[in-house]
Amino acid sequence: MSTPAQDFRPDIEGLRAVAVTGVVAFHFGLTALPGGFAGVDIFFVISGYLITRHLAAEISETGRLDLLRFYARRARRLLPVALFVIAATLCAGALILSPEEQALYSKGAMFASAYMINLWLIRWSFDYFANDATSNPFIHYWSLSVEEQFYLAWPALLMLAAWLKPGKRAIVIAIGAVGLVSFIACAWLTSVSQPWAFYFSPLRAWEFAAGGLVSMAPARLLQERPLLGRALSLTGLTMIGAAYLTFSEDAPFPGFLALLPVAGTVLLLKAGAAGARDGVNATLALPPLQWIGKLSYSLYLWHWPVIVYAGMLAPDLTPAERLLCFAVTLALSTLSYHLIENPIRRNGWLMVSAARALVPALLLTGTGVAAAYGNARLAVHDLDPEQRIIAASAAEPSTARTKAGCVQDYQSVTPKPCVFGDGQRLIALFGDSHADHWSTPLIEAGRKNGYRVVTWLKNSCRASRISVWSSELKRPYSECDRWREQAIAEIIEARPALVVISELALTSGRKMAGRGGDTRRQDSDWRAGLRSTLTSLSKAGLKVAFIRDVPFNNANVDTCVARALWRDETPSRCDQTRAYAANDAMAAVERDIVDSIPNAAYVDLTDRFCSATICHVFIDGKLAFRDQHHMATPFAESLEPEVEKRVISKMGR
């Protein structure tokens, strides 16, 4: 929203610079600021502050709101450059992305154009088979969608409050009530269903409300006590800095943690409103921060597609290459600000009436949605047969997943065994999704040999007795520990002829997390946990076959192979060195533990994936993996003879 020149606040422009710097630094891999993503929360508070201040002032002066004029200002300010970046990103994607990716991300562009991508992402986050969200070049539009949805609802709330009881107090009460309810729901859902808490605009409303409340608070106390204003500014900046330096992706965010950057922003805004112009506020008014603040919207729009596409073209970006990406982002942002954003926002013809801005805005939005939809359809029209095979292979579920609920979700604590086949003898399949992808060949091999297979499977829950942190739940995965113990008890009671176990290798889990942590403690816990589970089953008189985990790849294999074929390259460019992919050292430790347990046998099928030096992703004309570390089901089917030979044979041992 444009503001009159006399109301310009250099400290707010500087705050925008602080916010966008945090976000860009985080996304560009600056590990010194692991919590830079909290910059988005600063933007939310600033928006709540500015919008509430101007709407409340208009209600106070006129008793009403000119909503058309309000939305016209928003459209001039936000829409043109946002749609331009979407169009440019789609054009670049046609050269970089595979056809299936183009179709998928064009849908994201469609929702982004309509300012609804946050709702699409909520649904996407619950899809186990969804592509990696961080590869979506439009995902950062979620925050713009939240803001636009806020702009739709907030004026109505303020008008309703003023209508029920004229005066400032009613508006303050309404904002406070909405903010309190929103925060309570957000804090609760952060631990229950984090995607809802993160993306759903009503659950972010409390951050806008915080800005709204501070815009309504009197500044007289701080005006009379300048030292207090300086102290609040310093405290606010310290709180934001603490969030940037201490938060991480694994944190249960937003929830209670978001209070830190939100409160810090509130303190800075209030101190600035009281007229503080020295100390922290003077720093925020420095020319470099003012320049970045002016570019902040364009910087936010451009930085993400630049770094995403760069990462696709060169997966292991060096610091110098990341710096080059930032330079490109800065250049694009400067051009779009001076050629699109600022000229259109201040265009005299568009400012004459609301209709002159809103009609083109609606046409542009409709055009953006239609173009993105058309691009999604066009990308997969007359798709190359090889591309169709890759897409179908990656999407085909395992046999266990063909029955709803057989691979249980994160919240489940009570096992749900699923029965496949009608043989008299029983094989139990036990573990996480890395046990699940063996269900396809194991069930078929069991059927051929007169066995029924019963599965005890749960997402991200190893059979080994090791307590882990859940990146999905953003907290310790206690549900896994409870589920595992019940599953072990049920398996022992079922008395299967063989228990088949497989699980994500500990080293693969570390690669997924992108860090090692206390590896000695983790290794010790894992060894003890694996031995404990195997011992419990062995002492019950059960035979166990432990299948070694599959190799780990540094990127989603289906997209890597599809991009290679799209660029007339061979799938072998996606192969990995065995030293990286196969986890041989940990597998040797694993084998020693399994071999030391009576009635337990180690099954190693790594030779079907790897030579002495290379692990392959495209084997015998089939896609071997559907992502980084799960087998594609058609390839898993081809391993049925090997499973029959090396696993079913353990029955007579």
Side-chain angles (χ1 to χ4, degrees):
M1 179 175 180
S2 58
T3 59
Q6 63 267 27
D7 290 339
F8 177 71
R9 289 264 304 272
D11 59 309
I12 292 180
E13 200 80 306
L15 259 179
R16 288 193 178 106
V18 170
V20 78
T21 299
V23 174
V24 173
F26 171 72
H27 286 152
F28 275 52
L30 184 61
T31 56
L33 292 178
F37 56 84
V40 170
D41 302 83
I42 298 173
F43 279 126
F44 287 166
V45 178
I46 292 173
S47 292
Y49 178 88
L50 293 174
I51 296 303
T52 304
R53 183 179 66 167
H54 290 291
L55 292 178
E58 186 175 345
I59 292 172
S60 176
E61 292 170 6
T62 67
R64 58 186 292 275
L65 286 177
D66 187 341
L67 291 179
L68 291 180
R69 182 167 167 265
F70 170 76
Y71 290 124
R73 286 197 299 265
R74 303 311 308 158
R76 292 199 314 269
R77 169 74 173 86
L78 300 176
L79 191 63
V81 68
L83 290 175
F84 179 79
V85 173
I86 288 173
T89 304
L90 284 173
C91 290
L95 303 175
I96 297 171
L97 302 170
S98 71
E100 285 288 339
E101 288 179 293
Q102 292 177 47
L104 174 64
Y105 298 143
S106 292
K107 293 176 184 176
M110 182 176 68
F111 283 95
S113 299
Y115 290 103
M116 293 192 297
I117 195 171
N118 61 320
L119 304 178
W120 185 60
L121 289 169
I122 290 172
R123 177 182 178 275
W124 201 22
S125 295
F126 290 123
D127 182 4
Y128 184 85
F129 289 101
N131 286 292
D132 186 357
T134 58
S135 296
N136 183 343
F138 302 102
I139 194 172
H140 63 312
Y141 274 78
W142 76 268
S143 63
L144 305 182
S145 297
V146 168
E147 285 209 29
E148 287 302 312
Q149 291 157 24
F150 161 74
Y151 297 144
L152 287 175
W154 207 245
L157 172 69
L158 300 190
M159 279 299 297
L160 177 62
W163 178 75
L164 290 173
K165 188 176 179 61
K168 181 177 177 181
R169 184 178 180 184
I171 293 178
V172 170
I173 292 173
I175 294 174
V178 168
L180 181 62
V181 172
S182 171
F183 175 73
I184 291 172
C186 179
W188 173 66
L189 273 171
T190 296
S191 61
V192 175
S193 183
Q194 195 259 355
W196 278 94
F198 195 91
Y199 291 123
F200 195 41
S201 51
L203 302 182
R204 290 295 194 130
W206 68 274
E207 299 182 70
F208 297 94
L213 287 175
V214 75
S215 76
M216 306 288 288
R220 184 179 307 167
L221 178 64
L222 294 181
Q223 289 171 341
E224 296 172 351
R225 294 171 174 80
L227 285 177
L228 179 59
R230 295 189 197 108
L232 290 183
S233 294
L234 183 58
T235 302
L237 189 61
T238 301
M239 294 171 79
I240 291 172
Y244 280 9
L245 293 170
T246 62
F247 287 1
S248 72
E249 291 178 271
D250 287 337
F253 194 86
F256 287 100
L257 287 179
L259 283 171
L260 190 61
V262 167
T265 307
V266 162
L267 293 180
L268 281 164
L269 288 171
K270 192 70 254 177
R277 294 293 180 267
D278 53 7
V280 169
N281 293 80
T283 302
L284 292 174
L286 290 173
L289 289 179
Q290 295 298 294
W291 181 61
I292 294 173
K294 285 183 175 65
L295 294 179
S296 60
Y297 182 53
S298 286
L299 277 169
Y300 183 82
L301 291 174
W302 281 113
H303 85 281
W304 183 244
V306 167
I307 196 65
V308 165
Y309 284 159
M312 290 177 179
L313 295 172
D316 298 313
L317 292 171
T318 65
E321 289 169 336
R322 292 179 185 274
L323 189 60
L324 177 61
C325 288
F326 178 70
V328 171
T329 300
L330 203 58
L332 291 171
S333 302
T334 302
L335 288 172
S336 62
Y337 175 77
H338 288 291
L339 299 180
I340 301 173
E341 182 183 344
N342 212 36
I344 293 178
R345 177 175 57 170
R346 303 187 185 281
N347 182 274
W349 188 86
L350 293 174
M351 294 171 69
V352 169
S353 68
R356 287 193 181 184
L358 289 176
V359 171
L362 291 173
L363 291 174
L364 272 175
T365 299
T367 301
V369 171
Y373 177 77
N375 195 64
R377 298 294 298 270
L378 184 63
V380 291
H381 181 67
D382 290 334
L383 193 62
D384 184 276
E386 286 184 308
Q387 295 283 355
R388 291 189 185 279
I389 291 171
I390 292 167
S393 297
E396 185 176 340
S398 67
T399 302
R401 290 185 184 274
T402 58
K403 286 188 179 181
C406 289
V407 182
Q408 294 180 261
D409 60 25
Y410 291 87
Q411 286 78 20
S412 299
V413 295
T414 302
K416 178 187 175 182
C418 290
V419 181
F420 296 87
D422 54 7
Q424 293 299 308
R425 294 175 295 176
L426 167 65
I427 295 174
L429 177 61
F430 174 37
D432 56 15
S433 60
H434 283 234
D436 160 55
H437 62 197
W438 291 106
S439 67
T440 299
L442 181 65
I443 289 169
E444 178 60 20
R447 184 190 63 79
K448 288 183 178 180
N449 288 272
Y451 291 94
R452 70 184 187 280
V453 175
V454 181
T455 63
W456 280 265
L457 302 168
K458 179 174 170 64
N459 281 332
S460 299
C461 188
R462 292 182 178 90
S464 298
R465 284 180 167 126
I466 177 172
S467 297
V468 297
W469 174 272
S470 170
S471 58
E472 177 77 17
L473 299 174
K474 308 295 183 184
R475 57 175 172 78
Y477 196 8
S478 58
E479 291 88 345
C480 173
D481 297 332
R482 294 160 61 189
W483 178 90
R484 183 193 300 115
E485 292 310 309
Q486 294 183 59
I488 291 173
E490 289 182 10
I491 291 170
I492 291 173
E493 184 178 357
R495 308 300 302 170
L498 180 68
V499 181
V500 178
I501 292 175
S502 193
E503 61 188 23
L504 176 70
L506 196 61
T507 47
S508 294
R510 288 174 186 155
K511 291 170 186 173
M512 290 169 61
R515 58 191 177 280
D518 185 0
T519 57
R520 286 181 297 179
R521 174 66 180 274
Q522 290 174 352
D523 288 351
S524 175
D525 290 346
W526 164 72
R527 288 193 296 268
L530 174 59
R531 189 178 299 277
S532 175
T533 295
L534 295 177
T535 299
S536 292
L537 297 171
S538 177
K539 285 185 175 179
L542 302 180
K543 293 180 179 179
V544 181
F546 189 100
I547 303 178
R548 177 181 173 177
D549 192 21
V550 298
F552 183 88
N553 301 279
N554 68 354
N556 283 344
V557 169
D558 58 325
T559 55
C560 182
V561 171
R563 287 176 198 161
L565 294 174
W566 179 245
R567 301 170 193 163
D568 293 325
E569 299 172 339
T570 64
S572 62
R573 73 175 298 275
C574 304
D575 290 347
Q576 305 290 315
T577 63
R578 179 165 181 141
Y580 173 82
N583 303 309
D584 283 327
M586 180 156 283
V589 175
E590 193 173 62
R591 179 189 293 274
D592 289 342
I593 294 171
V594 174
D595 288 346
S596 71
I597 305 295
N599 298 322
Y602 196 69
V603 179
D604 189 347
L605 295 171
T606 307
D607 57 349
R608 290 291 285 115
F609 299 87
C610 306
S611 67
T613 57
I614 299 294
C615 291
H616 304 285
V617 298
F618 206 72
I619 303 169
D620 297 333
K622 294 181 182 293
L623 186 73
F625 301 89
R626 63 174 172 82
D627 53 22
Q628 283 185 277
H629 51 89
H630 293 100
M631 279 192 292
T633 296
F635 178 74
E637 288 174 350
S638 73
L639 297 182
E640 184 272 327
E642 296 288 341
V643 170
E644 183 176 10
K645 176 182 176 181
R646 302 199 202 184
V647 177
I648 302 294
S649 64
K650 305 303 176 186
M651 300 294 188
R653 184 173 50 83

